[in-house]
Amino acid sequence: MQAAVRHVVAVVQCDISWTGVVKADAEMHIGAHHGLQTPEMAADWHLAVGEGIGGKAASLQRTQKSSNYLHDSRRVPAKRLIDNEKIGSVLVSPLMAHDAALGVLYAADRRQRNWTSEDIDELESIADHLSVRLAQLDRVRLAEARASDARRRAEAADSHLTSAIELVELLSSASAVNHALDAVAVYLNARIELHDRHNSVIGASGPDRASCHGVEISSRLSPQSRLTVHLSCVDEDTTLTEPSARIALHALKLQLLRLCERSATIETLRGDLQEKLLTGNFTNSAHIQRRLALIGCSPIGSDARVIVIRARDQADQISERFHSDLRTTFPDYLVDHRDESTVVIIGNGGSEEELSLQIADLLGREEHRRKRKGTAEGSPGDSRRFVAGIGRRTEQLHEVSISYDEARAACTVGMSNPQTSIDGFASARALGLQGLASIPNAQLQAMVTDTFGPIIAHDERHGTHYMTTISSYLANDRHLGDTAAELHVHYNTVRNRIARIEELLDLSFARTDDRYRAETAVRMAAVLAARTTPTTAL
């Protein structure tokens, strides 16, 4: 461009030449000059496209000339810079590229001059060559800018990819949920929380929520998972659509699924979680709740119940179909197998009436399947092959062990209860066992012995069945005929036994206090029978 203005001065034989280049503000500024005398002209000259002689040359895209610049009507007012240069005449040609004006090329004299057609041809020829060169330089600059931007983006992508690889390697070695959350929280500069299906936080890492002003998203670990990752960015301009951020989020979800699956496998193999719940052998309830959430169970505490199911014949085993039905009926449940019993912990059992109907339906379907396969015989009124004991509804996690003791006692009593033989379930509440299951065995044994000691001793010495008789007699509301039918003995036999029992125990079942004491002792004996294997069975 500098060579061009020098060439104009030499060829056109004028005093001054300069270029006006269109900038981003839609005004022309001096790009190169030759022959100017004042520094202000080179530094401060600017002209809007469409204004003045030079501006019209750019907007009209053809050469403009003025032989008497001082009195030319196209001249913009207050052109102090031009006047200070004492310019008397100008010739201006546009610099064009693809029908767009890049700027203008000036030839000027300090005297008034009539520009000839040769002058115009020379200036336009130089302007055409300069336009071609400027267009080439513009393409080169654009290509360089694009290449520089591509390099910058490639370097950024490489840096992000390297960071993402390091994060994935760190996540793959994370052995705990909190470690995985910590890694991604630092990487994304965000708060990350792991929620269960009730939106309760079971794990969190990163700044406090009050510090997060950016985008927030929530994403389930998988379509089948009940856990959700909630992410809150600290910076407002943070975007999670970048590949590195998406890799980080999906890698976190994959690792959390892996850790949850591992936890579920461990719990299945060891049964440690069920053991702690059923024995009450734990001190940190929050830790137990987190472990429950990680294996896909809802928090247990309020409305949980324990059910103990036992077969009358030890050879009978509950089918896989029963467990499938159980999972459908109670999505939030834990199952454990203890001795000959199946123990079920239900996270939200609802009312006892509703639960009893559900259990009766499940056991009924199991009985029906066995009858269709020819593994059971008898009419619908016959005894059920399986009996379920239902414990209390819990209000806190530590009460699960109490509900288990009550369900176990209810199941044991239900094995000999006539009504249970038909319905298939026995409730600790209906049997009056609630509260007794939490009493230590030694105290229960002392209270049973204090009440029934003489007849227990008589049964052991003489082979009588006074304990069985008193249990059946009270369960049948002191009805001699029903008791005789249940025990398969004569009516008079029952009457004689009751009279002998009242004599040995020095009580009368007709008196309310005596009857209450005997019924309480029977229930205590049932709880003992559920916990141990006593010598005298009810």
Side-chain angles (χ1 to χ4, degrees):
M1 194 180 294
Q2 188 64 42
V5 296
R6 288 175 179 172
H7 190 57
V8 169
V9 171
V11 172
V12 182
Q13 297 181 354
C14 58
D15 298 324
I16 309 167
S17 179
W18 76 89
T19 58
V21 181
V22 179
K23 300 293 185 180
D25 58 1
E27 289 195 346
M28 295 184 291
H29 300 262
I30 287 183
H33 61 86
H34 184 71
L36 293 178
Q37 295 178 345
T38 60
E40 291 83 2
M41 177 72 176
D44 299 334
W45 181 90
H46 60 90
L47 184 64
V49 175
E51 295 183 356
I53 297 174
K56 290 188 179 298
S59 63
L60 297 175
Q61 300 182 4
R62 63 174 180 266
T63 302
Q64 302 290 310
K65 65 180 180 177
S66 175
S67 300
N68 187 355
Y69 185 74
L70 293 175
H71 297 92
D72 196 307
S73 60
R74 294 168 296 175
R75 182 173 181 251
V76 296
K79 290 299 290 182
R80 177 181 57 82
L81 298 175
I82 296 292
D83 294 342
N84 289 343
E85 289 288 341
K86 296 181 173 55
I87 294 175
S89 57
V90 295
L91 181 64
V92 190
S93 287
L95 301 174
M96 303 295 298
H98 305 294
D99 298 327
L102 303 176
V104 292
L105 177 62
Y106 278 86
D109 258 338
R110 290 188 172 90
R111 58 187 173 81
Q112 294 183 4
R113 175 177 175 175
N114 290 321
W115 303 97
T116 65
S117 59
E118 289 79 9
D119 295 334
I120 296 173
D121 290 343
E122 290 289 353
L123 185 64
E124 289 181 343
S125 176
I126 296 172
D128 288 343
H129 285 87
L130 180 58
S131 296
V132 171
R133 183 55 181 160
L134 289 177
Q136 290 174 342
L137 292 174
D138 189 63
R139 286 195 293 271
V140 170
R141 282 194 297 269
L142 180 61
E144 289 178 346
R146 288 175 175 172
S148 177
D149 182 66
R151 284 193 299 271
R152 180 187 59 78
R153 287 188 283 109
E155 290 171 356
D158 184 69
S159 175
H160 290 156
L161 181 59
T162 301
S163 299
I165 291 173
E166 293 174 351
L167 175 66
V168 171
E169 290 175 347
L170 183 61
L171 283 174
S172 65
S173 62
S175 59
V177 170
N178 287 340
H179 296 166
L181 297 179
D182 290 343
V184 179
V186 172
Y187 181 82
L188 295 178
N189 189 24
R191 178 173 179 80
I192 300 181
E193 297 177 349
L194 183 62
H195 293 196
D196 63 18
R197 69 171 185 167
H198 299 290
N199 208 31
S200 298
V201 178
I202 60 175
S205 183
D208 294 334
R209 282 196 171 217
S211 305
C212 301
H213 308 287
V215 63
E216 294 188 14
I217 64 168
S218 293
S219 178
R220 293 177 66 179
L221 296 191
S222 72
Q224 295 77 30
S225 176
R226 299 178 180 180
L227 302 182
T228 302
V229 172
H230 184 84
L231 189 149
S232 302
C233 295
V234 172
D235 300 325
E236 294 183 1
D237 56 349
T238 300
T239 175
L240 296 176
T241 58
E242 292 291 333
S244 57
R246 293 168 58 193
I247 289 174
L249 183 59
H250 287 292
L252 172 64
K253 291 164 61 176
L254 184 62
Q255 181 64 7
L256 291 177
L257 283 172
R258 175 175 168 268
L259 291 174
C260 291
E261 185 64 28
R262 187 189 69 173
S263 295
T265 302
I266 291 174
E267 299 298 353
T268 300
L269 294 176
R270 296 182 181 175
D272 178 64
L273 183 57
Q274 292 96 321
E275 178 70 20
K276 290 183 180 297
L277 286 170
L278 296 178
T279 61
N281 186 23
F282 61 90
T283 57
N284 191 336
S285 297
H287 178 65
I288 296 294
Q289 298 288 19
R290 283 195 297 271
R291 292 177 65 185
L292 287 169
L294 289 177
I295 63 173
C297 291
S298 294
I300 289 178
S302 179
D303 287 342
R305 289 183 187 273
V306 178
I307 301 170
V308 174
I309 304 172
R310 188 181 304 165
R312 295 182 183 278
D313 186 343
Q314 293 184 8
D316 281 333
Q317 297 292 328
I318 293 179
S319 68
E320 287 298 325
R321 181 61 183 275
F322 179 85
H323 285 288
S324 176
D325 291 345
L326 191 67
R327 189 178 302 109
T328 302
T329 306
F330 306 109
D332 297 321
Y333 85 103
L334 291 170
V335 64
D336 191 20
H337 299 282
R338 293 176 165 245
D339 300 326
E340 294 84 22
S341 302
T342 298
V343 182
V344 182
I345 306 174
I346 298 173
N348 185 1
S351 68
E352 184 171 297
E353 291 74 15
E354 180 182 1
L355 181 61
S356 298
L357 292 175
Q358 292 171 319
I359 294 298
D361 178 62
L362 290 171
L363 294 176
R365 278 186 270 171
E366 180 73 358
E367 295 278 356
H368 181 66
R369 282 191 291 268
R370 291 174 177 273
K371 287 181 179 180
R372 286 198 312 174
K373 292 179 179 180
T375 58
E377 299 178 356
S379 63
D382 291 339
S383 297
R384 295 292 183 106
R385 299 177 71 91
F386 297 95
V387 174
I390 303 174
R392 71 168 60 193
R393 186 189 69 177
T394 66
E395 295 190 4
Q396 54 184 345
L397 200 61
H398 280 89
E399 292 184 4
V400 171
S401 60
I402 300 175
S403 183
Y404 168 59
D405 288 340
E406 293 177 351
R408 189 169 48 166
C411 184
T412 300
V413 175
M415 297 290 284
S416 61
N417 187 290
Q419 186 61 40
T420 308
S421 299
I422 299 174
D423 297 334
F425 63 87
S427 162
R429 182 186 61 83
L431 294 173
L433 301 178
Q434 286 188 335
L436 299 178
S438 59
I439 299 176
N441 283 4
Q443 292 185 15
L444 289 175
Q445 187 64 60
M447 297 171 73
V448 170
T449 302
D450 182 63
T451 304
F452 293 142
I455 62 173
I456 293 175
H458 195 281
D459 284 348
E460 291 176 351
R461 285 196 305 267
H462 303 289
T464 52
H465 303 284
Y466 288 161
M467 279 298 297
T468 304
T469 302
I470 193 173
S471 175
S472 177
Y473 179 65
L474 293 175
N476 286 287
D477 198 22
R478 296 182 297 145
H479 193 279
L480 294 175
D482 292 343
T483 304
E486 180 180 336
L487 298 177
H488 305 290
V489 297
H490 193 271
Y491 178 92
N492 289 333
T493 301
V494 174
R495 185 176 58 183
N496 292 334
R497 285 183 184 178
I498 295 300
R500 181 59 175 156
I501 289 170
E502 289 180 330
E503 179 183 348
L504 290 171
L505 298 181
D506 191 22
L507 57 73
S508 172
F509 291 116
R511 290 197 297 267
T512 302
D513 290 345
D514 289 347
R515 189 168 62 253
Y516 174 77
R517 186 160 61 92
E519 288 175 342
T520 302
V522 166
R523 295 185 180 107
M524 290 179 177
V527 174
L528 277 173
R531 295 178 179 175
T532 61
T533 307
T535 56
T536 304
L538 296 183

